[in-house]
Amino acid sequence: MLTRRSTIFGLLGTAAIRPSRAFAQGGAAPIKIRVASVISSAWLPLWVAKDKGLFLEKWLDVEVMTVQNLSTTIGALGRQLDISGATAIDIVKAAAGGLDVVGVCGNTLETAANRQMRLIAGNQSGITSIGQLAGKTIGTPSINGVVHIATLLALKRGGVDPKSVRFIEMMFPNMVDQLKAQRVDAVEEVEPFVSALNKAGHVDLGDPMLQVGDPVTLTSWMANGAWARANPDAIARYIAALEEARAYIAANEVEAREILAKWTRLPKDVIESIVLPTYSTALTARHISAWIEAMRETGQLFAELSASNLVLK
């Protein structure tokens, strides 16, 4: 019996790069997969695989659905959705809540060489280090989300009691104005907004994500566990297409950014300024375990979980 790993390697091999021909000759329809993502450069491999026909070459009919918040897709897995973008935190929280979900592959990594996140203080706040954030107000995209957990960890290790800090949820694009208006003292920001804040003279307090690990899994793909275990071949084909998309982005950045512009509808100057994430389909128990440990250290997880049960084997 083939394992998922051997199946993926087979699909990446010469004989199986275009399995659609064999399926077409047999008259079978492509495998339908319904996928959800948000508008962010993190999901560029998905859009490249869709637009360049890489999914169809693997005989997959992938329907892409755009949502506002990935945390809302968990309940739809196995019903209206087959695979959804996620963070390791989403997977851990769902499992802690008793849901059968698994990570099927990685998507982006945060590394010291390519930092997508930053904790940034306002240039009028007088704050120059994480240790000065006690009693202050921080803008966050989602309380107890992946970016927020990383910030809590950085605060605790920086000698600040996270409970002494007030957090206000807000969207990433709004953080620039909120910081400028001094409604918050600092924000948990990501690219491309980080670059804009740095250019405006605000204070970079570092990348909290690297407190969790370096490299550390930032985004990934998840599925309902029962569906994933019943469809290993479809998942293997999906991962193989994303791998080809990752290689395409690396070799054809100009064309890849054109696809990014199409899906995000961002202005050309913004598209050209975006620092693309580090894309990787790797996802192991070790990647999930790093976040389980971070959640435990910050008092956000009390359930007993095994990271090995949260990734598709």
Side-chain angles (χ1 to χ4, degrees):
M1 179 178 180
L2 290 176
T3 64
R4 183 172 71 105
R5 180 178 291 274
S6 64
T7 304
I8 293 171
F9 287 161
L11 288 173
L12 289 172
T14 304
I17 287 297
R18 298 179 184 272
S20 57
R21 294 178 180 175
F23 277 86
Q25 290 173 357
I31 301 170
K32 179 80 171 181
I33 297 181
R34 300 160 300 175
V35 177
S37 75
V38 293
I39 298 299
S40 163
S41 59
W43 310 104
L44 180 56
L46 170 70
W47 302 329
V48 168
K50 175 72 173 178
D51 285 11
K52 302 304 293 185
L54 302 180
F55 286 131
L56 284 176
E57 289 182 358
K58 299 291 180 287
W59 211 234
L60 297 176
D61 177 11
V62 174
E63 178 185 355
V64 178
M65 305 177 191
T66 300
V67 297
Q68 293 296 318
N69 191 327
L70 289 174
S71 64
T72 64
T73 66
I74 296 175
L77 290 173
R79 297 182 179 88
Q80 296 90 353
L81 287 172
D82 300 309
I83 297 176
S84 174
T87 68
I89 296 296
D90 294 323
I91 296 170
V92 172
K93 287 170 65 176
L99 298 179
D100 181 16
V101 298
V102 292
V104 297
C105 69
N107 185 59
T108 62
L109 297 172
E110 186 85 347
T111 71
N114 187 3
R115 300 181 296 163
Q116 292 289 303
M117 181 207 168
R118 225 76 101 248
L119 186 59
I120 297 182
N123 54 15
Q124 300 180 61
S125 67
I127 297 169
T128 58
S129 70
I130 286 181
Q132 295 173 305
L133 288 171
K136 303 299 184 181
T137 301
I138 298 177
T140 178
S142 176
I143 290 177
N144 294 333
V146 63
V147 173
H148 183 63
I149 294 296
T151 297
L152 294 180
L153 189 63
L155 287 170
K156 184 175 181 181
R157 293 181 177 178
V160 176
D161 181 358
K163 294 180 180 179
S164 71
V165 179
R166 181 189 179 206
F167 290 94
I168 301 177
E169 289 188 339
M170 58 187 64
M171 297 176 66
F172 286 127
N174 296 339
M175 291 182 180
V176 176
D177 290 336
Q178 294 294 312
L179 197 61
K180 183 178 180 180
Q182 300 183 64
R183 296 190 181 95
V184 292
D185 300 295
V187 293
E188 302 169 357
E189 192 58 281
V190 296
E191 291 289 2
F193 308 106
V194 165
S195 296
L197 287 172
N198 284 336
K199 288 180 181 178
H202 296 291
V203 184
D204 189 333
L205 302 179
D207 185 350
M209 204 71 66
L210 299 180
Q211 291 289 326
V212 182
D214 182 17
V216 60
T217 294
L218 182 52
T219 61
S220 57
W221 293 101
M222 68 177 176
N224 169 269
W227 181 88
R229 291 185 288 272
N231 294 275
D233 182 62
I235 290 174
R237 294 177 187 277
Y238 184 78
I239 297 171
L242 291 180
E243 272 295 307
E244 290 189 11
R246 185 177 65 82
Y248 179 90
I249 294 168
N252 305 275
E253 186 173 322
V254 173
E255 292 84 351
R257 287 181 185 271
E258 290 175 355
I259 293 174
L260 181 63
K262 170 192 168 182
W263 284 84
T264 63
R265 298 182 181 180
L266 290 171
K268 182 179 179 180
D269 60 330
V270 174
I271 291 293
E272 292 177 348
S273 68
I274 290 175
V275 177
L276 295 179
T278 299
Y279 300 110
S280 172
T281 59
L283 185 68
T284 67
R286 179 176 57 82
H287 295 111
I288 301 294
S289 179
W291 284 104
I292 289 177
E293 293 171 7
M295 292 177 73
R296 290 198 191 287
E297 186 172 337
T298 55
Q300 305 302 308
L301 179 67
F302 301 97
E304 292 298 325
L305 296 175
S306 171
S308 62
N309 294 331
L310 302 184
V311 292
L312 186 63
K313 301 177 178 63

